[in-house]
Amino acid sequence: MRRHWGFAAALLAVVVAGCGGSAVEGSPVPDGERPEPITVAALGDPRTLDPCSLAGRAAFAEHGDARPLARVSLDHCRMAVTVGSENVVVDFGMLSAPRQRAERGLATLPGEVRLVATSAQGRLPCSLDVVLADDVRVEVSADAQRSDSTLDSETVCAVARSAADGIHATLASGRAGHWEPPTHSLARLSACGLLPTDEVAAIVGTSSRVTLYPAEHQCTWGTPGGERPNAQLDFTVGPELGSRDGDEESLAGRDTVVHLARTDSVSVCTLSTEQGPFAEAIDGEREIAVVRVLLPGGEAEPCEAGRALAEAAWEKLPAR
């Protein structure tokens, strides 16, 4: 699973396309037994939702043993599921807003919940959305751990489907869990609240469009993709930052790692600063704030704008 804009490979994947299709309906439920619609309200406070509570190890029992992996986000859980002699890594829990994208219907579940595939049939990674009754989506993605894996897409997608079914069962039973972030945690903040839209537009040249993800740990200013300028502020988790991740600078009194990546069509500057240890860490993960600025054109210079945004955002972060 990607790490949110933390490193160059993930930063340059700006456009993801799916494959369209028609819905497959599940078994009808008699009107007298029809359950209440499952909406985002079933998740409780999205900022403190524990994504790993949505599908525990038991959800994958039919495939093999499952174990949690180090987090790469406040909003994702990662599990390694042993299938035969190999592992399938499944990521789940990211909440996304309604959006237009190609998808294939897989099933309709009680509570007006739909399962849709957002990856092309037969291709890996295998990506699904659990679409709630109010169209808020819980993302699921699974892939073979090894690049030379012999596991086929049907096997990997079955693991993703188990995660999706587990998420539905958890929400239907009201068992979504939460964690209590420390007072200085980034999880308590709304990413869009740190940078005013007019300020971002003036510095980066973005449009007035603002996208805040339901858990509020990620905010995007401007049009996503690589054709127009855009900026993003992410509250995430990951390994301790170091010189391997980019050039080390001091911005707003905070140690900051700055990384510039280019392709022929876009230039991306990513600036990251640590907030402190992640309270739910499995392998020493840290909370990290990340500013990303994307400008069209491989010769553009996004880091000047990135530094200005990072300075403004870092000044509003809680004391560590």
Side-chain angles (χ1 to χ4, degrees):
M1 181 62 194
R2 62 181 172 86
R3 177 175 174 185
H4 285 292
W5 306 109
F7 302 99
L11 294 171
L12 298 180
V14 294
V15 180
V16 179
C19 183
S22 58
V24 179
E25 297 296 330
S27 300
V29 179
D31 288 341
E33 301 177 20
R34 191 176 299 277
E36 290 293 321
I38 298 174
T39 68
V40 69
L43 297 167
D45 182 355
R47 290 193 197 180
T48 61
L49 174 69
D50 177 4
C52 290
S53 74
L54 297 178
R57 300 183 190 188
F60 307 101
E62 66 179 288
H63 306 289
D65 293 336
R67 68 183 188 281
L69 299 176
R71 300 278 189 94
V72 294
S73 165
L74 287 171
D75 303 312
H76 289 84
C77 185
R78 306 187 79 214
M79 291 270 189
V81 182
T82 301
V83 180
S85 61
E86 297 192 44
N87 286 329
V88 172
V89 176
V90 58
D91 296 83
F92 57 90
M94 181 71 182
L95 307 179
S96 57
R99 62 194 184 278
Q100 296 294 323
R101 62 183 294 179
E103 59 189 36
R104 291 179 290 112
L106 299 176
T108 300
L109 304 179
E112 300 179 24
V113 172
R114 295 182 297 119
L115 301 186
V116 300
T118 56
S119 57
Q121 194 163 9
R123 298 289 298 274
L124 294 178
C126 183
S127 300
L128 311 176
D129 280 356
V130 181
V131 186
L132 307 185
D134 53 358
D135 210 20
V136 171
R137 294 162 179 250
V138 186
E139 298 179 4
V140 179
S141 180
D143 202 355
Q145 188 174 50
R146 287 170 28 194
S147 59
D148 61 347
S149 172
T150 59
L151 295 175
D152 57 28
S153 62
E154 184 177 356
T155 300
V156 174
C157 286
V159 175
R161 175 61 188 266
S162 291
D165 287 337
I167 291 168
H168 174 260
T170 296
L171 297 182
S173 62
R175 298 197 308 267
H178 291 77
W179 65 294
E180 183 62 28
T183 56
H184 62 275
S185 173
L186 298 175
R188 294 182 175 272
L189 307 178
S190 177
C192 282
L194 268 63
L195 294 171
T197 301
D198 56 353
E199 182 176 338
V200 177
I203 293 173
V204 182
T206 63
S207 69
S208 59
R209 177 176 176 177
V210 180
T211 304
L212 177 63
Y213 278 66
E216 302 189 27
H217 298 146
Q218 184 181 117
C219 185
T220 301
W221 293 266
T223 304
E227 297 181 357
R228 298 180 182 179
N230 61 64
Q232 183 170 303
L233 175 59
D234 226 358
F235 301 144
T236 187
V237 299
E240 183 177 5
L241 295 172
S243 57
R244 69 187 182 284
D245 302 316
D247 297 327
E248 296 175 318
E249 302 181 12
S250 179
L251 296 174
R254 283 177 168 262
D255 293 337
T256 304
V257 173
V258 181
H259 185 275
L260 174 64
R262 301 181 189 275
T263 69
D264 291 339
S265 58
V266 297
S267 299
V268 179
C269 189
T270 305
L271 304 95
S272 308
T273 189
E274 289 187 16
Q275 179 65 12
F278 175 46
E280 302 291 300
I282 292 176
D283 191 22
E285 300 98 292
R286 314 280 291 179
E287 289 193 12
I288 300 171
V290 182
V291 164
R292 186 268 299 158
V293 172
L294 179 149
L295 297 179
E299 299 302 318
E301 297 294 342
C303 285
E304 180 178 355
R307 289 185 179 91
L309 293 187
E311 288 262 13
W314 294 177
E315 289 176 353
K316 297 179 181 178
L317 295 178
R320 292 171 289 186

